[in-house]
């Protein structure tokens, strides 16, 4: 009796040790990121949180003003909600479009056709061009007067579009350009699709399911973990988007592409209101955390893990 | 036995892998650390070099400017002349064409600012208390400030104190492409022309693929000559009152004209793409017939010789007088500077007759020293005459020199102008609203 209980504690202990070792290995593997985060990001983050309660223009010492920065953004900054709305519009159009396009292309590229490897490379290649380079290329592509896009529109008899200079169009042009990077999530979906076991489709074939039914009832559910992952990452990066607008439109025309991030940047490095910019950045951070949490919470209703063993 | 060995083996392997990963991580980290360290230290090492120099009676000064490439050369020439004259002082030029204010403010905040730097936005730097008051140095040497144009000295001051000595200056004028005027059969504009003529000329020179002029709602700063010449202003002289100033009857007239100009020219096309300098490219390719700029691109346009151009002063309202806008900057030094004596020598040279003469050679810029400006004779130059005339009547500081929070107030005004240009918003009520918002910023 005593023997067996001792055995049990021993077992428990060894189990705990094993878990500890597993955790240690995990921590060890993420240590480069962890150490980098602690050394290079955590400090500045704490600093910016402190600064967000002050008025500070980088020279001289910060002046403590309590919650004034936070009050100002919600009550008397005429650009605050405007930039917030622009950002939300961008996120909620861009992210779903990206998910849909990436899946569609991945499905097309998941066929065993002749030269499929070539097509996969071709569809992936554009996403290697990112950031400022992408912006500069599109500043020429979408140029009002001698850009190839307008030239082609004119060839087929359509009117020229002021892609980046019409307040009603510019935001959608930026979304279009951002979708250029659809290749990287596409690759993820492709690998997810390829790991879907063909048994499911064979079984469905026997039951007489058509391709549409198979797509929605087998393919989509089985790649939902990838959809979740991709949605989260692109949601976060879309909220922080700045490069395209910064290079191509500067937030214009008529502030139609004036993203939240640009408002933060402008306050920090044009008006040199570091305190206010930090406060705004923190509000955005909290907002992203909340939205991410929301998506994660919702995921138990729509994400299926194959190895769930009956679901939790 | 054999089993335990294989277990040992696999454990060994695992440890080998782990230590490999660890080594990799460490090397990565040290690479990062080394980089950031050297980044933080580089100004320090330069300062150290300077200190070491002092022991051997040689000083190394750091000079920071936003000029680079071709526009840096004139300053470099002057610095070379200075070093020849002062063998004990070496000057290291640091060119920062992007995010200049950001870099300067960070270095001022961390006491690693260069010994001498160019600055134009004194309201931004002065309140932090990091700039050296130049009056003391002027008094010490009895340095004659009377040799400069008085209006330029106003740009060197903020809060009633002197923070720098002038570098060069330029006004703005209208460039026009003679070929496009000839093609359209429109006579060349003459100095003293009127707003109506301007709008009319823009109309005649605008056709598919070509614009008479670029008027953007984004560049509020360069609207000031029009505002001033109609007797208006954007903010009171002391920089504190916008309400009642921005939304005056005169400014409603001016804005009505600017809106006409916008409608007559590029419309939507101008937004975003063409700001202060960016119209240059379109002007050089013959896409726009007229454009508003300082004298900086003139030298290149003439040297290239592809365009037959003329320059003319800004058009005027009925009964208005010419009040040009001035771009200028000063040489300043930080309070925390370690080699202030040598820095002052450099500033005196660069801003004085000798340096200015070298810098302003070849029509690079106008000289703030009146005698050198007269000697250069640019006022009589057919291309520069218009720019010189713009200075004559200029008696106002740009709004950003009057209040340290102007850039934010300007955002409010810009949004108003955009509403007027893009959405045909009512001018009076839009200016009223913008004035109210801008006033709230300045408090």
């Amino acid at each position: 009796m005593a023997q067996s209980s001792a055995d049990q504690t021993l077992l428990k202990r060894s189990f705990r040790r094993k878990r500890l070792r597993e955790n240690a290995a995990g921590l060890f593997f993420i240590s480069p990121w962890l150490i980098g985060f602690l050394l290079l990001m955590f400090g500045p983050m704490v600093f910016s949180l402190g600064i967000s309660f002050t008025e500070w223009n980088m020279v001289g010492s910060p002046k403590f003003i309590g919650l004034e920065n936070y009050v100002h953004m919600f009550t008397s900054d005429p650009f605050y909600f405007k930039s917030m709305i622009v950002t939300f519009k961008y996120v909620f159009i861009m992210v779903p479009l990206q998910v849909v396009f990436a899946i569609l292309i991945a499905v097309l590229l998941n066929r065993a056709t002749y030269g499929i490897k070539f097509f996969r490379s071709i569809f992936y290649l554009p996403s290697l061009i990112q950031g400022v380079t992408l912006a500069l290329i599109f500043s020429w592509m979408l140029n009002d007067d001698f850009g190839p896009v307008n030239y082609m529109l004119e060839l087929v008899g359509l009117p020229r579009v002021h892609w980046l200079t019409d307040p009603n169009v510019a935001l959608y042009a930026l979304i279009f350009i951002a979708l250029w990077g659809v290749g990287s999530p596409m690759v993820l979906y492709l690998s997810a699709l390829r790991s879907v076991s063909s048994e499911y489709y064979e079984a469905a074939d026997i039951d007489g399911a058509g391709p549409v039914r198979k797509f929605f009832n087998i393919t989509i559910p089985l790649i939902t973990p990838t959809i979740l992952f991709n949605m989260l990452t692109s949601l976060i990066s879309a909220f922080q988007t700045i490069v395209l607008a910064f290079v191509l439109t500067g937030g214009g025309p008529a502030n139609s592409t004036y993203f939240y991030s640009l408002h933060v940047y402008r306050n920090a490095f044009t008006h040199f209101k570091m305190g206010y910019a930090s406060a705004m950045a923190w509000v955005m951070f909290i907002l992203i955390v909340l939205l991410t949490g929301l998506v994660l919470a919702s995921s138990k209703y729509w994400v299926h893990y194959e190895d769930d063993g009956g679901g939790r | 036995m054999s089993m335990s060995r294989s277990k040992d083996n696999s454990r060994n392997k695992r440890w080998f892998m782990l230590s490999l990963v660890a080594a990799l991580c460490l090397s990565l980290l040290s690479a990062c650390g080394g980089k950031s360290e050297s980044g933080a230290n580089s100004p320090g090492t330069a300062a150290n070099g300077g200190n070491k120099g002092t022991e051997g009676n040689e000083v190394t000064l750091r000079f920071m400017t936003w000029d680079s490439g071709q526009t840096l050369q004139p300053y470099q020439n002057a610095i070379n002349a200075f070093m020849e004259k002062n063998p004990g002082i070496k000057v290291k030029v640091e060119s920062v064409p992007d995010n200049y204010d950001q870099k300067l403010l960070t270095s001022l905040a961390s006491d690693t600012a260069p010994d001498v730097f160019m600055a134009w936005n004194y309201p931004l730097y002065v309140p932090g208390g990091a700039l050296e008051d130049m009056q003391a140095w002027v008094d010490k040497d009895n340095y004659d400030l009377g040799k400069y144009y008085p209006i330029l000295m106003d740009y060197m001051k903020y809060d009633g104190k002197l923070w720098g000595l002038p570098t060069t200056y330029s006004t703005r004028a209208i460039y026009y492409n003679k070929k496009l005027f000839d093609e359209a059969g429109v006579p060349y504009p003459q100095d003293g022309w009127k707003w109506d003529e301007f709008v009319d000329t823009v109309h005649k020179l605008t056709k598919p693929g070509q614009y008479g002029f670029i008027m953007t709602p984004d560049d509020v700063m360069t609207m000031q000559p029009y505002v001033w010449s109609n007797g208006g202003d954007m903010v009171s002289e002391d920089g504190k009152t916008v309400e009642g100033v921005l939304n005056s009857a005169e400014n409603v007239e001016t804005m009505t004209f600017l809106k006409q100009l916008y409608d007559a020219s590029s419309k939507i096309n101008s937004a975003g793409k063409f700001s202060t300098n960016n119209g240059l490219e379109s002007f050089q390719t013959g896409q726009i017939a007229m454009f508003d700029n300082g004298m900086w691109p003139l030298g290149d346009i003439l040297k290239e010789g592809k365009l037959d151009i003329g320059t003319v002063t800004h058009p005027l309202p009925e009964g208005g007088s010419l009040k040009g806008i001035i771009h200028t900057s000063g040489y300043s030094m930080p309070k925390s500077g370690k080699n202030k004596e040598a820095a002052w020598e450099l500033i005196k040279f660069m801003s004085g007759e000798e340096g200015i003469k070298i810098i302003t050679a070849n029509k690079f810029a106008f000289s703030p020293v009146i005698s050198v400006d007269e000697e250069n004779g640019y006022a009589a130059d057919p291309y520069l005459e218009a720019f010189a005339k713009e200075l004559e009547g200029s008696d106002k500081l740009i709004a950003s020199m009057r209040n340290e929070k102007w850039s934010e107030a300007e955002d409010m005004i810009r949004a108003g102008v955009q509403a007027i240009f893009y959405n045909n918003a009512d001018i009076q009520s839009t200016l009223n609203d913008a004035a109210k918002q801008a006033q709230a910023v300045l408090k």
Side-chain angles (χ1 to χ4, degrees):
Chain A
M1 199 58 160
Q3 178 74 25
S4 93
S5 106
D7 265 3
Q8 227 156 30
T9 45
L10 208 72
L11 205 73
K12 228 184 227 165
R13 201 176 294 156
S14 92
F15 184 66
R16 205 181 289 151
R17 200 182 299 149
K18 195 179 160 204
R19 254 183 75 170
L20 195 78
R21 203 187 296 151
E22 262 171 26
N23 281 346
L27 284 173
F28 185 78
F29 275 108
I30 61 166
S31 63
W33 179 85
L34 208 62
I35 293 169
F37 173 78
L38 288 176
L39 284 182
L40 303 172
M41 285 186 69
F42 187 70
M45 276 178 77
V46 171
F47 180 71
S48 89
L49 183 63
I51 284 296
S52 75
F53 300 107
T54 68
E55 192 182 315
W56 187 48
N57 78 339
M58 282 171 91
V59 195
S61 45
K63 192 178 111 204
F64 183 77
I65 52 168
L67 288 174
E68 209 175 289
N69 284 328
Y70 292 90
V71 174
H72 173 63
M73 75 180 78
F74 292 115
T75 55
S76 50
D77 179 350
F79 297 109
Y80 185 77
F81 288 108
K82 270 186 208 161
S83 66
M84 187 82 103
I85 289 168
V86 169
T87 307
F88 268 85
K89 239 169 139 180
Y90 175 82
V91 171
F92 287 111
I93 298 174
M94 207 286 270
V95 174
L97 277 182
Q98 197 202 46
V99 170
V100 170
F101 276 127
I103 293 178
L104 282 181
I105 299 172
V107 167
L108 285 178
L109 292 179
N110 191 29
R111 294 159 165 259
T113 334
Y114 181 72
I116 193 67
K117 281 194 176 151
F118 173 73
F119 284 112
R120 279 179 196 155
S121 317
I122 290 291
F123 275 89
Y124 179 68
L125 268 180
S127 67
L128 292 177
I129 301 168
Q130 288 286 356
V132 178
T133 323
L134 179 69
L136 287 177
I137 289 173
F138 269 96
S139 77
W140 287 104
M141 295 286 289
L142 299 179
N143 184 290
D144 278 345
D145 300 301
F146 30 81
V149 175
N150 269 349
Y151 177 72
M152 281 186 264
L153 282 182
E154 209 158 62
L155 276 189
V156 293
L158 291 168
R160 283 166 180 268
V161 177
H162 298 291
W163 294 105
L164 298 170
T165 49
D166 183 336
N168 299 317
V169 180
L171 182 64
Y172 301 99
L174 290 191
I175 291 172
F176 171 73
I177 299 169
L179 286 175
W180 192 252
V182 81
S184 25
M186 184 272 288
V187 167
L188 293 181
Y189 288 123
L190 193 57
S191 71
L193 287 175
R194 290 173 67 75
S195 68
V196 173
S197 161
S198 59
E199 287 165 23
Y200 294 113
Y201 295 111
E202 283 156 16
D205 278 337
I206 292 167
D207 288 345
V212 177
R213 188 95 192 263
K214 276 195 282 188
F215 177 72
F216 283 106
N217 288 4
I218 299 173
T219 313
I220 291 289
L222 285 175
I223 62 168
T224 44
T226 312
I227 296 180
L228 175 68
F229 169 78
N230 174 40
M231 235 173 86
L232 285 178
T233 49
S234 54
L235 193 76
I236 292 167
S237 66
F239 266 110
Q240 299 169 338
T241 185
I242 186 165
V243 174
L244 288 179
F246 190 84
V247 178
L248 288 175
T249 60
N255 289 330
S256 63
T257 59
Y258 193 55
F259 290 117
Y260 194 91
S261 52
L262 277 178
H263 196 36
V264 173
Y265 179 88
R266 205 170 164 72
N267 271 290
F269 298 113
T270 305
H271 309 326
F272 290 95
K273 291 170 73 181
M274 289 297 158
Y276 187 50
S278 298
M280 276 201 297
W282 270 93
V283 170
M284 176 50 77
F285 174 72
I286 291 163
L287 200 77
I288 292 177
V289 169
L290 286 180
L291 270 166
T292 310
L294 204 72
V295 173
L296 277 176
S298 80
S299 72
K300 69 172 169 227
Y301 299 107
W302 59 273
V303 176
H304 304 269
Y305 293 99
E306 240 181 308
D307 52 356
D308 242 3
R312 263 173 288 181
Chain B
M1 185 67 183
S2 84
M3 235 185 91
S4 88
R5 218 179 55 215
S6 90
K7 210 175 178 183
D8 269 7
N9 221 342
S10 86
R11 188 177 284 168
N12 278 345
K13 214 183 218 167
R14 203 193 294 152
W15 277 113
F16 174 72
M17 284 304 285
L18 278 178
S19 48
L20 194 74
V21 173
L24 269 173
C25 294
L26 276 177
S27 69
L28 258 178
L29 268 179
S30 67
C32 288
K35 206 171 171 190
S36 72
E37 212 169 273
S38 78
N41 268 349
S42 69
T45 42
N48 280 344
N51 282 346
K52 225 193 283 164
T54 346
E55 283 161 29
N57 272 334
E58 198 186 81
V59 183
T60 302
L61 291 177
R62 289 164 57 217
F63 173 83
M64 189 158 101
T65 169
W66 50 75
D67 283 304
S68 64
Q70 282 202 316
T71 55
L72 176 61
Q73 200 51 53
Y75 294 96
Q76 186 69 60
N77 292 343
I79 287 171
N80 292 346
F82 173 79
M83 288 197 283
E84 224 161 87
K85 240 184 112 186
N86 299 274
I89 307 176
K90 272 180 78 176
V91 182
K92 214 180 100 214
V93 176
E94 292 173 15
S95 162
V96 181
D98 291 316
N99 296 329
Y100 185 83
D101 283 342
Q102 208 174 318
K103 175 97 195 275
L104 181 56
L105 279 174
T106 339
S107 67
L108 282 172
S110 58
D111 279 351
T112 54
D115 300 288
V116 179
F117 51 82
M118 278 166 59
W120 66 277
N121 201 350
Y122 287 111
L124 181 63
Y125 316 122
V126 170
L131 252 54
E132 176 82 357
D133 184 346
M134 296 293 276
Q135 192 63 50
W137 293 89
V138 168
D139 292 345
K140 192 190 74 131
D141 275 11
N142 257 332
Y143 188 80
D144 174 28
L145 295 177
K147 64 184 173 189
Y148 298 112
Y149 287 105
I151 179 75
L152 294 181
M153 291 316 290
D154 289 345
Y155 279 80
M156 300 298 120
K157 289 172 193 154
Y158 185 66
D159 236 5
K161 284 187 184 146
L162 184 72
W163 303 104
L165 292 188
T167 58
T168 57
Y169 79 90
S170 174
T171 52
R172 296 179 84 91
I174 311 278
Y175 290 71
Y176 59 93
N177 183 333
K178 287 185 176 168
K179 191 175 138 231
L180 301 185
F181 273 73
D182 292 343
E183 278 172 10
V186 180
Y188 303 145
Q190 303 292 325
D191 289 351
W193 56 329
K194 296 285 178 284
W195 280 0
D196 300 344
E197 287 176 66
F198 190 31
V199 175
D200 195 44
T201 309
V202 171
H203 260 300
K204 286 180 183 154
L205 286 161
T206 301
K207 60 180 190 188
Q210 180 186 311
Y211 304 103
F213 186 70
I214 296 292
M215 186 70 225
T216 139
D218 298 334
D219 199 2
V220 173
M221 183 205 173
T222 58
M223 292 176 189
Q224 286 174 110
Y226 299 110
V227 169
W228 293 338
S229 65
N230 199 35
D233 208 337
M234 292 201 172
V235 58
S236 61
E237 292 280 336
D238 64 2
K240 291 196 173 113
T241 318
V242 187
E243 272 191 292
V245 180
L246 179 73
N247 49 344
S248 66
E250 289 89 356
N251 285 2
V252 172
E253 278 174 27
T254 309
M255 201 46 74
T256 309
F257 154 70
L258 292 177
K259 165 72 172 151
Q260 280 175 0
L261 196 55
Y262 172 78
D263 286 341
S265 60
S266 50
K267 285 248 178 82
I268 224 158
N269 193 295
S270 65
K273 200 177 134 216
F274 303 100
S275 56
T276 321
N277 261 317
N278 294 349
L280 175 62
E281 200 179 87
S282 307
F283 182 72
Q284 283 177 313
T285 53
Q287 237 193 318
I288 49 179
M290 294 182 278
F291 98 122
D292 179 324
N293 210 324
M295 63 186 282
W296 319 288
L298 187 66
D300 280 350
I301 295 179
L302 293 179
K303 203 159 72 187
E304 236 174 64
K306 282 187 195 143
L307 287 181
D308 191 7
I309 60 159
T311 55
V312 62
T313 54
H314 282 94
L316 299 172
E318 285 303 330
S321 62
L322 191 64
K323 291 196 183 297
I325 190 169
I326 295 166
H327 293 272
T328 188
S329 55
Y331 301 109
S332 298
M333 47 180 167
K335 215 180 232 166
S336 61
K338 289 183 188 82
N339 305 305
K340 287 192 204 171
E341 284 286 343
W344 170 243
E345 288 304 316
L346 176 64
I347 292 177
K348 267 197 303 186
F349 180 85
M350 297 286 282
S351 185
E353 284 83 353
E354 260 180 283
I356 282 291
K357 225 169 168 171
I358 299 172
I359 295 168
T360 57
N362 301 321
K363 295 177 194 166
F364 173 70
F366 284 110
S367 152
V369 178
I370 301 171
S371 64
V372 177
D373 216 12
E374 279 163 359
E375 201 182 316
N376 282 340
Y378 293 162
D381 182 279
Y383 295 104
L384 291 176
E385 199 188 349
F387 292 91
K389 279 186 190 165
E390 293 266 353
L391 181 74
E392 279 168 25
S394 183
D395 57 358
K396 281 183 190 290
L397 279 177
I398 54 173
S400 62
M401 285 299 295
R402 302 183 216 171
N403 192 309
E404 60 201 73
K405 289 183 173 163
W406 184 254
S407 76
E408 211 186 336
E410 201 178 86
D411 278 0
M412 314 293 167
I413 301 172
R414 183 180 300 110
V417 178
Q418 285 167 343
I420 292 168
F421 281 16
Y422 290 135
N423 309 329
N424 303 312
D426 178 67
I427 292 174
Q428 180 72 65
S429 63
T430 309
L431 287 182
N432 289 347
D433 291 347
K436 211 165 152 189
Q437 287 178 331
Q439 190 67 61
V441 169
L442 303 182
K443 264 180 260 183

